[in-house]
Structure formats: structure tokens, C-alpha cells
Amino acid sequence: MIVSLTLVASMLLAQPDSPHGNPATIPPEALQIVQQANQARAVVRAGPLQWDAALAEAARQHCLRMAAEGPIEHLYEGEPAVAERAGRAGARFSLIAESVAVGPTPAEIHGVWMRSPDDRANLLNPQVDRVGVAVIVSRGLLYAVADYERAVPVLTQSQVEAAIAGLLRHSGITVMSDTTAARATCVTDKTLSRSEVGRHPGFVFRWQDPDLTNLPQALVDRIKTPQYSEAAVGSCPAQDVNGPFTTYRVAVLLY
């Protein structure tokens, strides 16, 4: 008997930064599932999934519940949803997905996931880059859970500002060391007065994104114009984002 279910929850895309696992420490059945997944991903030119210990722990918690309950589900009474479960285990992400199955062997479980449109989409999704798999033997069968994510690095306020400042400098903009005005601008959507920010900027841009490797196109277009040569960068807590879904809020003031 092989049974599978799939679940996906997402927000935005981001760059990865989460713990990797040594293959020698990954349980053999789980390692086999990951290897088969990466072979399938290579065929469609999706990047390989890297092992994530936090996801594996989240998967293990649910797998124990599946084995105890018998019929497989993504959520049992009194159990946290996959995003909360993964967050409690230490994962931080912009996208998370889960597939669960019962089958006789890891190869059979991989096969049924590949034949299920939703599970196949999880497994081959080029946007996910981390995986944690749990496999438990019960009633003569393997109960399996695979949790996938697009990982987001956990950065301090200064690290966020430094990342954006580096991109601005690469574009030929001088970045001011004083972040006070930009941080004050970041926390509000209002236009601040000269008394609040001091030197009045010619252009203000605020955005939220877990990906700090590229500047928003609207900001890039402004930088290309000759009237701007300096910038101030400020970061602040993201708005309307809760739990382990992670993104960053930034303000750039151009002068």
C-alpha cells in the first residue's frame, strides 16, 4: 500500500542560509529519498536539495504522529501546522512545502511522490533549496515525511544594511555611514519632514523582500539617473509578517 498527501505554504523567495547535514549522519532511508529527489531534480535542471536539520526535526515530529495515528494527514488534532512546526525547530524560510506518504520502500515512496502532481511539484520546485526527511517503520510499512523550504538567512539590522550598501556601492553610489534618517524613514510609510530626517533626500524607496542579493528595479532605474550620488540605508522590522516566514524591510534615501 502506498498513500501520499501534499501541502504547500509560501510567501516570497530568498537566499539560503541554514545548517547542512553530513550524509553519514542522515538515516539511510531518508538519505535514499533525498538522493532520488536530487537525481530527479537534475533531470529538470533544478538545483540539488541540501539537508536541513531543522526541517528534519519538524518532519520527524509529524512522522511520529503519523505512525501513531495510522491514517496519514498533514495536520492532526492539537498539532501545529507545518510552518509553525518547522519554525519551532529553528527553520526560517520564505516558502515551505510538505509531502507525506506510506509505502514499503524509499524507492516506492519516491515513485508515488513523482506520480502525484502536487508532490512532484514540491520535489522538483526550483525555488526550494533545503529538505528534511523523516522515515519511521510501523506496521511493516515506512511512514515518510519530506519538508521542503526556500531558506532565508537570519541577519541583524546592521547586516541587512551592509548587504544593501554593498549593492549600492557596486552601482557607483557613495553610502553614508549615518543610518539614523534611513532607519526613521523605514518604520513609516509617511514622508518625514526635514526636521525629522535632516538633509532632505531627493528620492525615498522602501521595500520588503527576503532576497537581499538584488536591488528593486525601480531603485536601480533611479540610481542610473545622474542627479544621485549618495545614499543612506536603513533597515527595520518587516511589516505584516509573522512567525518563521522571514523577510526584511529596507529604506534607501538618495541624495
Side-chain angles (χ1 to χ4, degrees), residues 1-214:
M1 178 185 70
I2 305 174
V3 183
S4 84
L5 294 174
T6 185
L7 176 71
V8 181
S10 67
M11 195 180 66
L12 298 169
L13 301 185
Q15 293 302 304
D17 183 44
S18 59
H20 303 177
N22 183 335
T25 67
I26 302 172
E29 295 86 355
L31 180 59
Q32 184 177 341
I33 289 174
V34 174
Q35 290 172 334
Q36 290 177 322
N38 280 335
Q39 290 170 4
R41 289 173 65 87
V43 172
V44 298
R45 298 185 178 180
L49 296 170
Q50 297 187 33
W51 183 262
D52 187 286
L55 286 182
E57 173 58 22
R60 186 189 70 86
Q61 293 172 11
H62 187 62
C63 203
L64 286 169
R65 188 69 184 268
M66 285 202 321
E69 297 282 348
I72 64 171
E73 300 287 350
H74 281 288
L75 189 65
Y76 296 103
E77 184 177 357
E79 183 187 29
V82 58
E84 183 180 354
R85 186 176 357 110
R88 288 180 180 181
R92 294 295 180 268
F93 43 82
S94 58
L95 180 153
I96 189 164
E98 181 176 82
S99 293
V100 300
V102 179
T105 66
E108 292 285 352
I109 288 170
H110 172 75
V112 77
W113 281 342
M114 287 295 288
R115 292 189 294 272
S116 162
D118 290 338
D119 290 309
R120 181 184 176 90
N122 282 351
L123 196 152
L124 299 181
N125 187 349
Q127 297 176 356
V128 300
D129 53 24
R130 299 288 186 265
V131 68
V133 177
V135 180
I136 293 176
V137 180
S138 180
R139 304 176 186 89
L141 293 170
L142 301 182
Y143 287 75
V145 178
D147 286 346
Y148 310 88
E149 72 176 5
R150 180 70 174 182
V152 178
V154 179
L155 302 177
T156 66
Q157 182 181 38
S158 295
Q159 287 173 327
V160 173
E161 292 165 352
I164 299 303
L167 295 174
L168 290 167
R169 292 191 184 98
H170 186 71
S171 299
I173 299 294
T174 299
V175 179
M176 302 160 60
S177 59
D178 187 354
T179 62
T180 305
R183 287 182 176 181
T185 301
C186 182
V187 299
T188 179
D189 290 324
K190 299 178 181 178
T191 301
L192 300 182
S193 66
R194 186 181 296 272
S195 62
E196 293 175 299
V197 298
R199 180 183 173 193
H200 193 70
F203 181 72
V204 174
F205 195 82
R206 306 174 184 86
W207 77 97
Q208 290 189 181
D209 202 313
D211 185 355
L212 301 179
T213 63
N214 295 285

